[in-house]
Amino acid sequence: MTTQEQNLTLISSDNVKFLDVPREVAIMSTLIKEGIDEDEDEIAEKEFPIPKVESDVLRKVIDFCTLYQKEPMKKIETPLIGDTLETIFDSPQYASFCKGWELEDFFSMHAAANYMNIEPLITWVCISLDNLHLKGKTPAELRQIFMLPAEAEDLASAKLESLHSTENILVEGNSTELECANILQLYGHAV
């Protein structure tokens, strides 16, 4: 059996084994590629744990990498040309790969792609996420999606840091009503 014909076993964080993953599919991940000794002739018996990726996500990662091996994704130029995934990727397979996915599915796939270091998957997830869930959103909506603090909370955090870094440190018995009122106002509370 040649090196290219060998299959690997990947193990998800919930201990599900994915047997017979083609080597060329598996080594799209730099994490896995770096775990293979170049001099190893026979690696079919070697198992590769992927401790930060659950089985449902790892299945999607394997499916994407299999698609990529059959039909490599074209290089995506920026700024993006086209408004739909079909025109951006110029492939119905890549455009429909995420059909039915929720926002959390994209976040899980992005985390897996980053952890496993699969560049084409990172690119695909970011473009698909933007096109399907982020395009046209207001800054407030984006803050909510990414669970980022509102600007007032950012200002309050900065105010707290400045208060703690000066002589006006808020410690029991040393805070003033004015400092407390300022902090409450920054968080949007009426004083």
Side-chain angles (χ1 to χ4, degrees):
M1 177 184 302
T2 67
T3 302
Q4 294 304 319
E5 295 172 344
Q6 292 179 349
N7 292 327
L8 308 176
T9 298
L10 306 182
I11 306 170
S12 66
S13 64
D14 48 345
N15 289 319
V16 174
K17 290 186 178 185
F18 292 87
L19 308 171
D20 300 325
V21 177
R23 177 189 174 108
E24 67 274 3
V25 168
I27 64 171
M28 282 185 63
S29 165
T30 304
L31 177 74
I32 295 170
K33 188 175 185 174
E34 289 177 352
I36 297 174
D37 185 1
E38 295 284 332
D39 298 328
E40 282 185 84
D41 289 331
E42 197 62 42
I43 59 167
E45 299 300 316
K46 194 165 183 180
E47 295 181 340
F48 292 87
I50 313 295
K52 294 184 179 183
V53 182
E54 292 185 0
S55 59
D56 59 330
V57 177
L58 187 55
R59 164 57 39 215
K60 291 174 187 171
V61 169
I62 293 168
D63 289 346
F64 178 88
C65 292
T66 301
L67 170 61
Y68 190 88
Q69 288 301 312
K70 290 178 184 173
E71 180 189 334
M73 190 169 65
K74 72 173 188 168
K75 185 173 180 349
I76 307 297
E77 300 295 330
T78 55
L80 295 177
I81 300 171
D83 291 341
T84 65
L85 293 180
E86 290 83 5
T87 56
I88 294 169
F89 293 118
D90 195 26
S91 164
Q93 288 82 10
Y94 286 107
S96 65
F97 188 78
C98 57
K99 187 174 183 151
W101 284 21
E102 299 294 329
L103 190 60
E104 281 303 315
D105 296 320
F106 285 99
F107 291 151
S108 297
M109 280 293 279
H110 189 264
N114 275 329
Y115 174 70
M116 295 177 72
N117 197 1
I118 305 171
E119 286 301 319
L121 182 54
I122 293 169
T123 299
W124 177 85
V125 168
C126 290
I127 291 171
S128 299
L129 173 64
D130 178 57
N131 189 273
L132 296 174
H133 290 282
L134 305 180
K135 188 167 61 173
K137 301 283 193 233
T138 66
E141 290 169 323
L142 292 173
R143 275 196 300 278
Q144 184 178 6
I145 289 170
F146 290 107
M147 295 181 271
L148 298 173
E151 292 170 346
E153 291 172 330
D154 290 341
L155 292 173
S157 295
K159 179 70 173 172
L160 281 173
E161 283 181 34
S162 73
L163 289 172
H164 286 286
S165 66
T166 64
E167 294 179 355
N168 297 325
I169 297 175
L170 293 173
V171 260
E172 193 173 310
N174 193 23
S175 62
T176 66
E177 286 182 335
L178 180 58
E179 289 170 342
C180 291
N182 287 340
I183 292 170
L184 289 171
Q185 283 178 336
L186 286 173
Y187 279 107
H189 298 285
V191 183

